[in-house]
Amino acid sequence: MARLLVILVAAGLLGLLAGCGAGAPDDSEVLISLTDQVIVPTYQAAGAAAADLKTALDALCAAPSDGALQSAHQAWRDARGAWLRSAAMAFGPVAERRSGGLIDWSPIDPERIERMLTENPATSEDAVRNTLASTQRGFGAIEYVVFDPDAVSQLSDSATPRCEYLRALGAVIASETAAIVDEWTVSRNGDPAYRDFLTGRSSSSMLESAAVAEVVRTQVFLIRTLTDLQLAAALGLRGDGPDLSAIPGGAGGNGLADLRATVLGMRDVYLGDAGAEGLGVSHLVTPLSTAADERMRSQFEAALAAVDAVEGPLRAAIVERPEQVQEVYDRVMELRRTLNTEVVSLLGVAVGFSDTDGDSMR
Amino acid sequence: MMRPSSLPAGFDGVVHAASRPVSASSAAAFRIAFGLLGLFAVGRFAAHGWIAELYIEPERHFKYLGFEWVQPWPAWGMYLHFALLGVASLGVALGYRYRLSIAAFFVLFTYVELIDKTTYLNHYYWVSLVGFLMIFMPLHRMASLDALRRPAWRRDTIPVWVLWTLRAQLGVVYLFSGVAKLNPDWLLHAQPLRIWLYNSGDLFLVGPLLQEAWVAYAMSWAGAAFDLTIVGWLLWRRSRPYAYLVVIAFHLATWVLFPIGIFPWVMILGTLIFFSPDWPRRLLAGLRGRPPPKAPFTLLSAAPPSWPARTAAVALGLFALAQVIVPLRHWAYPGEVRFNEEGYRFAWRVMLTEKTGHAQFRVTDPRTGEEWLAYPEDYLTPLQAERMAYQPDMILETAQFIADDYQQQGRDVEVRADVFVTFNGRPSVRFIDPDIDLARVAPGLAPKTWILPAPDGPDWAPLS
């Protein structure tokens, strides 16, 4: 009788545990969905766009013309947009490989690029990857070459190594984004693919709460970069006068598209929905506070609307219509405050990477 | 023990009763555990790299009022400081030159704690208080190298006030921690446990259970009941063993769920002092299969207490009074202490609030009217910036760090703060009056009128 009672109590407890939390997705479900439906597809899109850019640059160099140049411009914009959309997912392979220094570094150094082309040109993927500084490669360097008003004539001059350098730049971006996709998706030498490491699907995985913290912290740091280091500096809110160089990019005039892609990437991570039904950070916030979730959603929309309302290239708008850019800054700051206080608090994320003890507050 | 027929009455009677001798063995066990925990804490600090991260790397430190003179040593000095603290801890545990060891422990430990408010923890404060009290306690008369070195020092007994003082110092932690939980957030909304437990959903087996609202409510009420009554259960001989099992279970649960450091071990080992004074001797006898030893026989003198004993009793009474007044000082301030934090520290508000902030500063040059932004990250470490963003006195100090920085560049500036905090899951709200020039506000104990009051109304309810 006693044994039967023990079995019944144990079965009841197990049933209780199994039934608990059935309504809301847990960390693991959110991480799996976020990885499979947002992060990996975003990197795959960035990889495909980078491959297209490489193809366009190869075609431009093979037969320089205004048409080929326009195609290269568009391919560059597409690839840059796809890459910046992944900025909100810049943890794991991107951080470990330090891919930012190969793909997208700002500002670039035109003088150093010209000196390199004259004195010791890097004309192969290997040379660009291993011998150049971050200020001489990536999207910024490609932009410098292909958005030059004399780009076609410069690239037609077979006496200069400009085309080989340009092809090598494209090859580095293409191979590096492919490598990132590879690390996210393919297991090698006994190490799990990062998608499995992050989501608890391998024998050596990250703790789920640590993985959620990693995702949220990346948003916190990205939005800080966007507000403090870019927009505030460009608008002159930091006290040294407007500094247009704080806005990444140059002659391509892609500042607004960059901004939009970055915020969209953050929204993808938050909603977990990059064109598909999926789970994101929102689905971890909602069970605790629908109000905080609604604030985040509406603030994303307000920030994107403010970006869309800016007329003309971002740098020109900062000078000629600063109130429009100030509006973008204010809306993104609102989003940042909700993220840094309510979302961080609800999800129990320590922003400061500290593992010291706390016995009065979290 | 023989009881004389005529004992002093009144104050002298209390002093007399407090000097009643009891077995020294539980106090000796307390000393050993205290020293070993101190040694463990030092090792933990070194192993985690916290000596550098918390005391060497920061360019600025948040100072306690009146202790601005406490500064970190250069890097080698900080490592030496911690090494000496480890030696002092070992000295306490071994009972070697005990008075010197415990005095050194108190000074070295408290000095570290006073370097920076960022690292304030209730249990570190408790360790400092107990370390101070232990200086005056003869805890080296048994199971110590001192007693081996100097057999004349050896005693089987200590005055009973030693045990009651240690029990009281533990008791205030539980009692005030329990009283602090008697608030609507804790009892009616299960906050902040609802948030904290929900985020422990990945714990093996129990994780999903912890995400249930009823579990948060049950644990909130159970936690408050535990804190408010555990001292009584530990004092009552019949309930004591069961109460101690509950103490172990409670603190182990907090250790699993929260990043709470050595606090659970401090309390699990510390509460052994509630057991009978000779429990270690009984335990050892039991382990050796021997009968329990008899209580030491000591004649209690009927002579009136000496003036040093009276003076010590008065001093101890004043210390005890301070232990009651300091945690209650928040009543002297208007507003909600969990929001404005006026009187929050040193009050045993243990794991009571989930609060997160975001701070940014506006700097104005009054001569030119120019205004620009200043960022905490440019002045503080990530940990300092995070802790500062919801603690008003640290926000004030950061504003003054910024003002001082500009002062050194020859610019006399005004500094205002845009700070937003969320508290127990409420929507984030502005925390500091954005119009007040914090560079001109003198730090002090007066109510901080530049902290905005907590909003009122249904929109400001905590999450349920």
Side-chain angles (χ1 to χ4, degrees), chain B residues 285-403:
Chain B
L287 291 174
R288 291 172 182 159
R290 293 179 186 164
K294 291 181 180 172
F297 179 89
T298 311
L299 187 66
L300 187 62
S301 164
S306 62
W307 72 263
R310 287 182 179 135
T311 308
V314 170
L316 194 57
L318 291 173
F319 183 88
L321 186 65
Q323 294 309 303
V324 175
I325 291 173
V326 170
L328 296 176
R329 72 191 188 286
H330 71 92
W331 290 109
Y333 296 97
E336 168 56 66
V337 60
R338 289 169 301 134
F339 182 74
N340 63 31
E341 302 200 25
E342 297 206 77
Y344 196 96
R345 294 191 198 95
F346 311 113
W348 314 117
R349 298 177 185 282
V350 182
M351 301 299 289
L352 188 70
T353 313
E354 167 58 40
K355 198 169 167 209
T356 305
H358 175 80
Q360 193 168 279
F361 295 84
R362 278 177 291 117
V363 183
T364 310
D365 186 334
R367 288 174 308 162
T368 63
E370 282 179 282
E371 184 176 273
W372 60 94
L373 298 174
Y375 300 102
E377 294 83 0
D378 294 341
Y379 297 86
L380 307 173
T381 65
L383 177 69
Q384 287 177 319
E386 184 177 333
R387 300 270 161 99
M388 173 278 296
Y390 56 82
Q391 301 188 60
D393 55 352
M394 292 167 73
I395 291 168
L396 176 66
E397 242 178 302
T398 305
Q400 301 191 344
F401 288 155
I402 294 168

Side-chain angles (χ1 to χ4, degrees), chain A residues 21 208-209 228 232 237-239 287-288 329 333 337 340-342 345-346 351-352 355 357-359 361-362, chain B residues 44 50 122-123 198-199 202 212 259 261 341 350-351 354 356 358 360 372-373 375 383 386 420 422 428 463:
Chain A
E208 287 154 7
S209 54
D228 295 356
L237 304 178
R238 296 185 66 117
L288 285 165
Y329 173 81
M333 274 303 293
R337 279 196 288 269
N340 279 14
T341 57
E342 297 182 47
S345 175
L346 290 169
V351 179
D355 57 354
D357 308 329
D359 72 359
M361 295 183 205
R362 177 182 58 76
Chain B
R44 206 164 157 263
W50 290 341
N122 287 298
H123 65 272
Y198 194 87
N199 289 308
D202 56 357
E212 292 292 305
E341 302 200 25
V350 182
M351 301 299 289
E354 167 58 40
T356 305
H358 175 80
Q360 193 168 279
W372 60 94
L373 298 174
Y375 300 102
L383 177 69
E386 184 177 333
F420 293 79
T422 177
S428 69
L463 291 173

Side-chain angles (χ1 to χ4, degrees), chain A residues 54-117:
Chain A
K54 178 180 179 305
T55 304
L57 296 177
D58 288 346
L60 174 63
C61 282
S65 68
D66 286 342
L69 185 66
Q70 291 309 312
S71 298
H73 285 175
Q74 191 55 48
W76 177 85
R77 288 200 170 93
D78 292 346
R80 184 167 173 76
W83 172 252
L84 283 171
R85 193 134 176 178
S86 75
M89 305 144 207
F91 43 84
V94 173
E96 287 161 15
R97 296 178 61 87
R98 303 181 180 213
S99 302
L102 290 165
I103 297 175
D104 186 21
W105 188 266
S106 181
I108 54 140
D109 187 340
E111 279 182 28
R112 206 168 167 189
I113 289 173
E114 292 298 342
R115 198 164 56 243
M116 176 272 298
L117 287 171

Side-chain angles (χ1 to χ4, degrees), chain A:
Chain A
M1 184 63 190
R3 187 175 295 176
L4 181 66
L5 194 66
V6 169
I7 291 170
L8 284 174
V9 169
L13 278 174
L14 282 174
L16 188 66
L17 289 173
C20 284
D26 61 19
D27 288 2
S28 174
E29 290 169 293
V30 168
L31 287 165
I32 288 171
S33 174
L34 189 59
T35 305
D36 291 352
Q37 297 198 39
V38 176
I39 298 174
V40 169
T42 300
Y43 276 117
Q44 285 170 334
D52 290 345
L53 172 62
K54 178 180 179 305
T55 304
L57 296 177
D58 288 346
L60 174 63
C61 282
S65 68
D66 286 342
L69 185 66
Q70 291 309 312
S71 298
H73 285 175
Q74 191 55 48
W76 177 85
R77 288 200 170 93
D78 292 346
R80 184 167 173 76
W83 172 252
L84 283 171
R85 193 134 176 178
S86 75
M89 305 144 207
F91 43 84
V94 173
E96 287 161 15
R97 296 178 61 87
R98 303 181 180 213
S99 302
L102 290 165
I103 297 175
D104 186 21
W105 188 266
S106 181
I108 54 140
D109 187 340
E111 279 182 28
R112 206 168 167 189
I113 289 173
E114 292 298 342
R115 198 164 56 243
M116 176 272 298
L117 287 171
T118 309
E119 296 171 2
N120 188 19
T123 55
S124 68
E125 180 185 341
D126 187 56
V128 167
R129 186 180 273 277
N130 297 314
T131 65
L132 295 191
S134 298
T135 54
Q136 295 169 298
R137 60 193 178 196
F139 283 114
I142 294 175
E143 181 182 22
Y144 170 70
V145 175
V146 301
F147 283 93
D148 190 291
D150 294 329
V152 173
S153 63
Q154 287 174 346
L155 293 169
S156 303
D157 183 357
S158 57
T160 72
R162 219 170 184 83
C163 245
E164 286 75 8
Y165 168 59
L166 185 62
R167 286 179 184 211
L169 289 172
V172 167
I173 291 179
S175 65
E176 185 61 20
T177 45
I180 294 166
V181 172
D182 212 39
E183 289 204 15
W184 270 97
T185 54
V186 180
S187 168
R188 284 196 201 291
N189 305 325
D191 292 332
Y194 196 79
R195 76 195 301 171
D196 297 329
F197 176 72
L198 185 75
T199 56
R201 290 182 289 194
S202 68
S203 54
S204 63
S205 285
M206 216 169 177
L207 201 63
E208 287 154 7
S209 54
V212 170
E214 183 85 350
V215 171
V216 175
R217 278 188 200 127
T218 304
Q219 315 311 304
V220 168
F221 283 102
L222 178 61
I223 203 165
R224 183 189 163 213
T225 303
L226 214 54
T227 51
D228 295 356
L229 305 183
Q230 294 183 10
L231 290 172
L235 284 163
L237 304 178
R238 296 185 66 117
D240 304 322
D243 175 13
L244 296 182
S245 71
I247 300 295
N254 215 49
L256 275 176
D258 288 355
L259 193 55
R260 184 173 173 75
T262 307
V263 177
L264 278 175
M266 289 184 63
R267 193 182 66 167
D268 293 342
V269 171
Y270 186 76
L271 298 179
D273 185 355
E277 279 301 312
L279 305 174
V281 174
S282 160
H283 298 84
L284 297 175
V285 172
T286 307
L288 285 165
S289 172
T290 50
D293 180 59
E294 283 165 12
R295 257 190 297 285
M296 283 294 289
R297 286 168 182 262
S298 65
Q299 286 169 354
F300 267 119
E301 296 316 310
L304 287 167
V307 173
D308 290 342
V310 177
E311 299 164 53
L314 183 56
R315 290 185 178 193
I318 288 168
V319 177
E320 296 158 17
R321 295 171 293 283
E323 69 287 351
Q324 292 181 349
V325 184
Q326 180 71 46
E327 177 70 8
V328 174
Y329 173 81
D330 291 343
R331 298 289 79 78
V332 178
M333 274 303 293
E334 276 180 3
L335 179 64
R336 181 182 173 191
R337 279 196 288 269
T338 307
L339 175 71
N340 279 14
T341 57
E342 297 182 47
V343 173
V344 159
S345 175
L346 290 169
L347 299 184
V349 177
V351 179
F353 289 107
S354 171
D355 57 354
T356 55
D357 308 329
D359 72 359
S360 55
M361 295 183 205
R362 177 182 58 76

